[in-house]
């Protein structure tokens, strides 16, 4: 028995529709701030053993601030200063490096014990709680500890 094949009628192809034109986004009128954001936290030992090198400490601190100012011309740089002895004091927090004032020996009067771990941990805690962009990939953190010795009071 032979079967006769009937030709299959092909349907005409549908025309391809061109995609809808989406208007290009207009550039934002806001200026993009692509500056690198940097936080510089300085934790400074103010314990009694630092009294003999108070002037050198102040000079070194001020020199470091001047270097930070020079190196951060195209950056948004904020500085924090925490001093510690048996207690911790956040002298400056989240202050623009350009408006940061120099430290004087009169501002820095070493006495007491060395609660270095307290100074470090309290500075980190304050930064994590109060700086919303601390974990942003465009944010850098420099953490400096200036001390002459070891922890003996935390």
């Amino acid at each position: 028995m032979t079967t006769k094949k009937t030709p299959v009628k092909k349907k005409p192809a549908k025309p391809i529709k061109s995609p809808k034109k989406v208007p290009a986004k207009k550039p934002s009128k806001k200026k993009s701030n692509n500056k690198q954001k940097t936080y510089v936290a300085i934790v400074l030992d103010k314990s009694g053993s630092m009294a003999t090198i108070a002037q050198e400490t102040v000079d070194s601190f001020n020199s470091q601030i001047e270097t930070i100012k020079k190196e951060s011309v195209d950056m948004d740089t904020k500085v924090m200063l925490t001093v510690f002895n048996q207690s911790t004091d956040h002298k400056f927090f989240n202050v623009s490096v350009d408006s940061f004032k120099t430290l004087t020996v009169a501002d820095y009067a070493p006495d007491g014990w060395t609660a270095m771990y307290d100074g470090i941990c309290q500075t980190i805690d304050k930064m994590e709680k109060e700086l919303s962009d601390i974990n942003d990939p465009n944010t850098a953190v420099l953490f400096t500890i200036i001390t002459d010795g070891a922890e003996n009071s935390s």
Side-chain angles (χ1 to χ4, degrees):
M1 196 185 219
T2 60
T3 318
K4 190 175 181 183
K5 292 186 178 181
T6 56
V8 177
K9 290 185 180 179
K10 292 184 179 180
K11 294 183 180 178
K14 292 183 181 178
I16 298 173
K17 293 181 181 178
S18 59
K20 292 182 182 179
K21 289 187 178 181
V22 178
K25 289 185 179 180
K26 292 181 181 176
S28 174
K29 291 184 180 181
K30 292 181 183 177
K31 287 188 177 181
S32 174
N33 184 3
N34 291 331
K35 285 185 174 182
Q36 170 74 38
K37 177 87 173 241
T38 304
Y39 291 112
V40 179
I42 301 172
V43 180
L44 177 60
D45 185 346
K46 190 181 125 170
S47 65
S49 63
M50 296 289 284
T52 59
I53 56 170
Q55 185 63 57
E56 292 87 350
T57 302
V58 168
D59 292 344
S60 294
F61 173 84
N62 290 333
S63 175
Q64 187 163 11
I65 293 298
E66 287 306 311
T67 300
I68 293 166
K69 284 180 183 180
K70 288 176 189 171
E71 297 295 324
S72 61
V73 172
D74 292 325
M75 292 186 257
D76 180 11
T77 304
K78 305 290 184 180
V79 180
M80 294 112 214
L81 171 61
T82 302
V83 295
F84 66 90
N85 47 20
Q86 65 272 5
S87 62
T88 301
D89 184 13
H90 302 287
K91 291 286 189 188
F92 306 100
F93 188 79
N94 203 20
V95 176
S96 171
V97 71
D98 296 325
S99 64
F100 206 82
K101 295 180 178 142
T102 57
L103 191 64
T104 66
V105 175
D107 299 325
Y108 179 72
D111 68 340
W113 296 95
T114 309
M116 182 167 52
Y117 297 151
D118 290 347
I120 294 167
C121 292
Q122 288 178 26
T123 301
I124 292 169
D125 287 346
K126 187 170 179 71
M127 291 173 75
E128 286 179 335
K129 288 177 187 169
E130 297 185 27
L131 302 175
S132 61
D133 59 349
I134 195 77
N135 292 313
D136 187 290
N138 292 321
T139 299
V141 177
L142 172 63
F143 202 94
T144 304
I145 304 163
I146 302 172
T147 185
D148 69 338
E151 160 68 37
N152 67 15
S153 183
S154 288

